[in-house]
Amino acid sequence: MSVRPVAPDDVAAVVGLVRELAEYEKAPHEARMTEEQLSAALFGDSPQLFGHVAVADDGAVVGTALWFLNFSTWRGTHGIYLEDLYVQPQHRGSGLGRELLRTLADLCVQRGYSRLEWSVLDWNAPSIEFYEAAGAVPMDEWTVFRLTDAALTAFAADRRG
């Protein structure tokens, strides 16, 4: 098994893995990304999304890490925001999840980025244990806020002259 950067031929498999992750997180209705969207985001003229895949010995893509750059104004450097990390259940415990995460940590170190961060659902104890075993710490004093769909559109349109 190995980890490598995502390739154009991996797009369908990665979309499938994202849908599996959404099922696991009890939100399949929220996973609306298409293969065309992912391909454009990863391989378009100015990619802003990056990814790696975990590949089994038979060549099947069995895990993925999708990420993008963020920036810390306090540290003055970029960092990596891990949007999705997923390994199919039958391949968990093989070290692939750890290798995907370690690959991103290594990119941070090589490029002088100061942070690797992500979000995890409060109820996802196996993932929380996995992350803590890697040395990650929860940001307990921070709360994630999000604007989407109608609220995003309404807020953007509500401008005063």
Side-chain angles (χ1 to χ4, degrees):
M1 296 194 187
S2 64
V3 169
R4 62 170 170 73
V6 67
D9 289 345
D10 300 324
V11 167
V14 172
V15 169
L17 292 169
V18 169
R19 293 195 194 298
E20 287 181 33
L21 173 61
E23 287 280 343
Y24 175 76
E25 292 184 346
K26 302 175 177 122
H29 58 284
E30 293 182 37
R32 301 183 294 214
M33 180 175 63
T34 66
E35 291 178 26
E36 293 76 19
Q37 288 172 316
L38 182 59
S39 185
L42 288 168
F43 304 110
D45 291 338
S46 182
Q48 301 295 312
L49 179 70
F50 308 94
H52 288 78
V53 291
V55 182
D57 291 335
D58 65 1
V61 173
V62 299
T64 190
L66 294 172
W67 56 276
F68 54 89
L69 294 180
N70 58 16
F71 188 83
S72 170
T73 57
W74 290 15
R75 295 197 175 213
T77 65
H78 282 293
I80 287 177
Y81 187 84
L82 175 58
E83 180 66 22
D84 286 330
L85 176 68
Y86 182 75
V87 174
Q88 290 177 320
Q90 64 270 30
H91 296 282
R92 292 182 190 153
S94 67
L96 284 174
R98 186 172 177 82
E99 192 57 29
L100 282 164
L101 194 60
R102 190 187 312 271
T103 296
L104 299 187
D106 189 46
L107 279 173
C108 287
V109 171
Q110 287 178 30
R111 296 178 183 182
Y113 301 161
S114 60
R115 291 182 180 164
L116 170 57
E117 57 190 0
W118 58 90
S119 297
V120 61
L121 292 166
D122 291 341
W123 58 259
N124 192 345
S127 292
I128 291 169
E129 289 174 19
F130 168 75
Y131 296 140
E132 288 177 339
V137 294
M139 302 299 294
D140 291 334
E141 296 178 358
W142 293 86
T143 300
V144 175
F145 282 82
R146 180 176 292 157
L147 279 171
T148 61
D149 303 324
L152 177 66
T153 302
F155 186 71
D158 189 24
R159 289 197 161 149
R160 305 222 186 254

